[in-house]
């Protein structure tokens, strides 16, 4: 797997995606808004969902439907069911149950995908395998595009609002929490996770929306394109202009904008051109308009009431900051993104984010900031992940790193779970908001080669044997690093010594002696890495040489070689150790 940058929104997407999962821009084709189609990535994207399931009586349903449009729902909170209120408690029974699996995924909607023998299934919050391991894996892509079948990933999605998108026998479908198939395998080419009670599906670039029973709920055939619902609305395009429909398919904001992002926290960015951009509410009212190119948005999404922006007039590297719901810059554009350009900074969650001050000046360590722009508020280094999706804090906890180990702090900055877990370098987890992020009361962590879960009290699914093996591995790695550093120092010492020797041996050397009544004359010429040796006026050798210890070695071949002795102390060359 590789990550590429969407040419429209600038966000990271899989290089296998046919369209950006964030803005719908087609990949590897010229962007034509009127022809824009959304094709969801078949890679897992773990959704952040936060409300408990509710009993859908008529009055409650009406209240929730109204609140979906009035309360600024973030588009990821399930308003139609789900078990996000379920708290997983790590008990000895739970730990023993999950240890039978080769691989684990984060919990979502009270369920977690688990892998065994190359197949994937699902467990519930008690660790019970409620859906057997039967779904497809995907091999890791290595160098040159070759697949590493020794390392596979789950391609089925996490549960969201009571359903999950899964792949079985290379065909996509949707199941419920009992494993019942609600959308037939292979019926649609593309299926996205459930948002606001609706599943986005498409075939032959013709999208529509299904309910969680697999029934057609919203027809969008009159539009050129549509995106999955976000914050209760779906962005649609007709005749090259963008508007928004609600979950009943009613066009609530007419197709009038030349460009548009999806809604987040009750706001959407529209008409973003070289002249600025406009922010609207769910009724289509203009909240603010920013002119010019002094400050441009990156993600176009609000999180915790703030949206990340950058100053494109910065001389060398883009500087990033945040604007509030009125478009006012409340945190100045003074921070760097992870690469120093326009890829953005981390979104706020639970009142916190983290940034880089000078990553291109040798200091790439991220630091925490609060919503007032306060820096270094916690004396810990946050773990890095996907800056678009990674939640700095989740369920009141943040993953931090120290001395190559991972721990967790709470929202007061107190170290709540000690540093004892591995740093995850696997992009499948770090770029999908999976590793070290709390869902349903537990976070997915790793100890050496074993995957497991830890709850907010620090109870985890690892054994003392796991900890001992991990600590032994760390000690072995430390010893390996020490030896490597020692070898590097020796290599550098030898290179330095060789450089010093070459500085004085270069030139012409002559040696003459009497042997058996005859005069023997040897002449040597050295220049750079080449040597010429003449014996009694005849060329004996011309070619490269090496310095090995106190010898100049040349004329290798047939298992033998010639050499000249280096007298380092007196800066002279000798034909043998005494002459």
């Amino acid at each position: 797997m590789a990550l590429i940058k969407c040419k429209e929104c600038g966000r990271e997407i899989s290089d296998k995606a046919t369209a950006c999962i964030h803005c719908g821009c087609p990949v590897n084709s010229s962007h034509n808004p009127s022809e824009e189609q959304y094709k969801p990535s078949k890679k897992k994207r773990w959704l952040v969902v936060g409300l408990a399931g509710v009993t859908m009586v008529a009055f409650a349903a009406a209240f929730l439907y109204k609140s979906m449009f009035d309360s600024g729902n973030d588009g990821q909170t399930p308003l139609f069911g789900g078990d996000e209120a379920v708290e997983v408690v790590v008990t000895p029974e739970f730990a023993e149950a999950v240890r039978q699996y080769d691989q684990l995924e984060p919990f979502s909607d009270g369920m977690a995908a688990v892998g065994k023998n190359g197949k994937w299934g699902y467990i519930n919050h008690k660790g019970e395998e409620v859906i057997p391991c039967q779904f497809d894996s995907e091999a890791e892509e290595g160098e040159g595009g070759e697949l590493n079948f020794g390392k596979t990933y789950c391609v089925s999605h996490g549960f969201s609002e009571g359903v999950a998108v899964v792949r079985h026998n290379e065909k996509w479908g949707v199941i419920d929490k009992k494993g019942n198939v609600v959308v037939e395998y292979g019926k649609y080419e593309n299926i996205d996770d459930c948002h606001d009670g609706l599943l986005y599906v498409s075939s032959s670039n013709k999208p529509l929306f299904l309910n969680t029973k697999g029934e057609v709920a919203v027809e969008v055939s009159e539009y050129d394109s549509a995106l999955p619902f976000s914050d209760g609305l779906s962005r649609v395009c007709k005749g090259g202009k963008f508007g928004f429909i609600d979950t009943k398919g009613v066009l609530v904001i007419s197709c009038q904008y030349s460009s548009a992002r999806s809604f987040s926290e009750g706001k959407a960015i529209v008409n973003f051109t070289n002249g600025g951009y406009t922010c609207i509410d769910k009724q289509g009212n203009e909240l603010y308009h920013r002119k010019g190119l002094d400050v441009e948005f990156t993600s176009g999404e609000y999180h915790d009431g703030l949206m990340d922006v950058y100053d494109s007039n910065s001389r060398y590297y883009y500087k990033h900051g945040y604007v509030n719901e009125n478009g006012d810059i409340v945190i100045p554009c003074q921070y760097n993104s992870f690469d120093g350009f326009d890829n953005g900074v981390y979104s706020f969650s639970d009142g916190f984010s983290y940034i880089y001050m000078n990553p291109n000046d040798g200091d790439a360590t991220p630091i925490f900031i609060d919503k007032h722009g306060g820096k270094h508020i916690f004396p810990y280094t946050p773990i890095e992940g996907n800056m678009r999706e990674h939640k700095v804090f989740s369920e009141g906890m943040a993953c931090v790193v120290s001395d190559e180990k991972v721990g967790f702090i709470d929202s007061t900055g107190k170290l709540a779970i000690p540093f004892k877990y591995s740093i995850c370098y696997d992009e499948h987890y770090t770029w999908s908001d999976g590793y070290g992020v709390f869902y349903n009361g537990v976070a997915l962590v790793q100890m050496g080669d074993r995957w497991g879960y830890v709850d907010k009290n620090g109870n985890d699914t690892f054994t003392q044997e796991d900890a001992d093996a991990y600590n032994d591995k760390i000690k072995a790695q430390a010893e390996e690093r020490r030896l490597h550093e020692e070898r590097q120092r020796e290599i550098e010492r030898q290179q330095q010594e060789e450089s010093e020797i070459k500085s004085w041996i270069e030139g012409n050397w002559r040696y003459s002696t009497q042997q058996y009544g005859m005069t023997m004359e040897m002449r040597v010429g050295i220049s750079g890495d080449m040597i010429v040796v003449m014996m009694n006026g005849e060329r004996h050798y011309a070619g490269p040489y090496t310095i090995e210890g106190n010898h100049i070695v040349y004329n290798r071949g047939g298992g033998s070689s010639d050499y000249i002795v280096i007298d380092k102390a007196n800066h002279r060359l000798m034909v043998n150790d005494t002459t």
Side-chain angles (χ1 to χ4, degrees):
M1 180 194 76
L3 295 173
I4 59 175
K5 182 178 175 183
C6 173
K7 61 186 177 182
E8 180 182 335
C9 69
R11 299 176 64 176
E12 299 284 359
I13 58 176
S14 168
D15 61 349
K16 297 179 182 179
T18 56
C20 176
I21 65 169
H22 309 291
C23 70
C25 177
V27 176
N28 297 327
S29 62
S30 59
H31 177 50
N32 184 340
S34 65
E35 298 176 356
E36 184 179 58
Q37 295 291 337
Y38 172 83
K39 292 184 178 180
S41 167
K42 292 182 180 180
K43 290 240 177 242
K44 188 195 77 54
R45 292 286 178 185
W46 294 108
L47 303 178
V48 183
V49 282
L51 293 179
V54 293
T55 305
M56 298 299 287
V57 297
F59 177 78
F63 172 78
L64 284 172
Y65 182 79
K66 181 179 185 299
S67 67
M68 180 175 65
F69 295 99
D70 296 341
S71 63
N73 178 43
D74 63 6
Q76 295 178 320
T77 302
L79 298 178
F80 299 89
D83 291 327
E84 284 305 299
V86 171
E87 284 275 325
V88 178
V89 178
V90 177
T91 62
E93 294 76 20
F94 176 85
E96 183 178 357
V98 302
R99 286 178 57 80
Q100 66 178 294
Y101 301 105
D102 306 322
Q103 291 174 271
L104 304 171
E105 293 281 340
F107 269 84
S108 175
D109 204 12
M111 305 276 279
V114 292
K116 183 166 57 177
N117 299 325
K119 293 293 183 180
W120 289 82
Y122 292 89
I123 60 173
N124 63 14
H125 68 286
K126 296 180 181 179
E128 301 167 335
E129 187 176 300
V130 292
I131 300 176
C133 294
Q134 58 186 295
F135 303 112
D136 297 348
S137 292
E138 183 171 285
E140 178 190 39
E141 185 175 297
E143 294 183 4
E146 295 183 359
L147 296 179
N148 175 15
F149 289 96
K151 189 172 187 180
T152 59
Y153 294 119
C154 177
V155 291
S156 297
H157 298 206
F159 270 86
S160 174
E161 302 183 24
V163 293
V165 180
V166 295
R167 193 176 73 178
H168 187 59
N169 295 330
E170 298 187 354
K171 294 180 180 180
W172 291 93
V174 179
I175 61 172
D176 63 19
K177 289 188 174 182
K178 294 182 179 180
N180 300 316
V181 177
V182 296
V183 176
E184 181 184 345
Y185 297 115
K187 185 174 183 179
Y188 301 100
E189 295 173 1
N190 301 290
I191 309 175
D192 192 62
D193 296 304
C194 189
H195 300 264
D196 298 315
L198 295 172
L199 290 154
Y200 174 100
V201 299
S202 69
S203 291
S204 302
N205 291 329
K206 296 180 180 179
L208 66 134
F209 293 94
L210 311 178
N211 61 24
T212 55
K213 295 180 180 180
E215 303 164 338
V216 175
V218 179
E219 288 273 7
V220 288
S221 57
E222 63 182 290
Y223 301 105
D224 302 323
S225 68
L227 289 184
F229 277 86
S230 174
D231 207 7
L233 298 177
S234 167
R235 191 197 74 175
V236 294
C237 180
K238 189 172 186 179
K241 296 292 184 180
F242 295 92
F244 297 87
I245 61 172
D246 64 17
T247 54
K248 291 186 175 180
V250 177
L251 186 66
V252 293
I253 300 177
S254 63
C255 295
Q256 57 185 293
Y257 305 112
S258 60
S259 51
R261 288 282 191 267
S262 294
F263 270 87
S264 59
E265 297 189 354
K267 293 168 286 294
I269 303 299
V270 298
N271 288 346
F272 39 93
T273 65
N274 291 336
Y277 61 88
T278 300
C279 182
I280 62 172
D281 63 17
K282 288 187 175 181
Q283 288 71 46
N285 301 314
E286 180 179 315
L287 299 176
Y288 67 86
H289 175 74
R290 180 172 287 278
K291 297 180 179 180
L293 294 174
D294 59 328
V295 173
E296 299 183 51
F297 67 87
T298 48
S299 67
E301 299 174 0
Y302 273 88
H303 297 274
D304 252 10
L306 299 177
M307 180 177 72
D308 55 306
V309 295
Y310 68 95
D311 178 6
S312 60
N313 294 321
S314 302
R315 184 175 180 182
Y316 295 111
Y317 302 108
Y318 292 135
K319 297 293 184 179
H320 295 258
Y322 299 86
V323 298
N324 63 13
E325 297 174 342
N326 299 319
D328 302 321
I329 299 177
V330 291
I331 298 179
C333 294
Q334 57 184 324
Y335 305 123
N336 292 83
S337 68
F338 78 102
D339 64 354
F341 297 100
D342 63 346
N343 283 331
V345 284
Y346 290 83
S347 299
F348 273 85
S349 61
D350 291 357
F352 302 102
S353 182
Y354 66 92
I355 49 82
Y356 300 87
M357 290 298 292
N358 297 296
N360 295 284
D361 297 331
D363 180 14
T365 301
I367 58 175
F368 284 102
I369 62 172
D370 60 22
K371 293 181 73 171
H372 304 291
K375 297 176 292 185
H376 293 288
I377 53 176
F378 301 136
Y380 297 104
T381 300
I383 194 169
E384 302 175 60
N386 181 354
M387 61 176 46
R388 290 296 178 209
E389 298 184 3
H390 190 77
K391 293 168 67 66
V392 179
F393 272 84
S394 57
E395 299 186 5
M397 306 286 279
C399 191
V400 291
V401 61
S402 176
D403 294 330
E404 296 294 313
K405 287 189 177 182
V406 165
F408 294 85
I409 60 173
D410 61 24
S411 57
T412 68
K414 176 184 176 182
L415 185 63
I417 300 174
F419 297 102
K420 57 188 293 189
Y421 307 108
S422 307
I423 294 178
C424 180
Y425 295 103
D426 194 328
E427 288 187 353
H428 172 74
Y429 295 96
T430 57
W431 285 89
S432 64
D433 205 13
Y435 189 78
V437 180
F438 273 87
Y439 298 109
N440 291 131
V442 292
L444 177 69
V445 289
Q446 193 176 16
M447 186 174 283
D449 297 326
R450 180 176 286 280
W451 292 94
Y453 299 103
V454 59
D455 65 23
K456 296 176 185 178
N457 295 318
N459 303 311
D460 60 41
T461 58
F462 303 103
T463 65
Q464 186 60 48
E465 288 76 12
D466 295 330
D468 292 341
Y470 176 46
N471 289 327
D472 289 343
K473 182 177 181 180
I474 289 179
K475 291 177 182 178
Q477 291 174 339
E479 177 64 13
E480 185 177 340
R481 285 195 299 269
R482 187 190 67 80
L483 294 174
H484 174 73
E485 292 170 359
E486 191 175 278
R487 288 192 296 268
Q488 285 299 112
R489 286 194 297 269
E490 178 61 20
I491 291 172
E492 291 171 3
R493 186 195 64 77
Q494 292 176 359
Q495 290 175 340
Q496 178 64 28
E497 184 178 75
E498 182 176 318
S499 178
E500 292 175 356
I501 291 173
K502 284 185 175 182
S503 69
W504 60 264
I505 66 172
E506 188 161 313
N508 297 313
W509 299 80
R510 177 178 176 274
Y511 168 77
S512 180
T513 187
Q514 291 287 330
Q515 290 186 1
Y516 309 107
M518 300 176 59
T519 300
M520 299 292 294
E521 183 182 64
M522 179 178 182
R523 291 180 180 270
V524 175
I526 300 175
S527 177
D529 294 324
M530 306 297 290
I531 186 172
V532 176
V533 180
M534 305 290 292
M535 303 291 288
N536 290 336
E538 294 184 2
R539 180 177 292 183
H540 173 65
Y541 175 80
Y545 72 93
T546 59
I547 295 177
E548 300 176 15
N550 63 336
H551 293 83
I552 296 175
V553 182
Y554 64 94
N555 196 23
R556 293 180 183 275
S560 63
S561 61
D562 296 328
Y563 68 89
I564 300 171
V565 178
I566 303 170
D567 183 357
K568 301 175 185 177
N570 298 302
H571 281 202
R572 63 177 182 169
L573 301 182
M574 305 168 62
V575 293
N576 54 50
D577 292 332
T578 59
T579 306

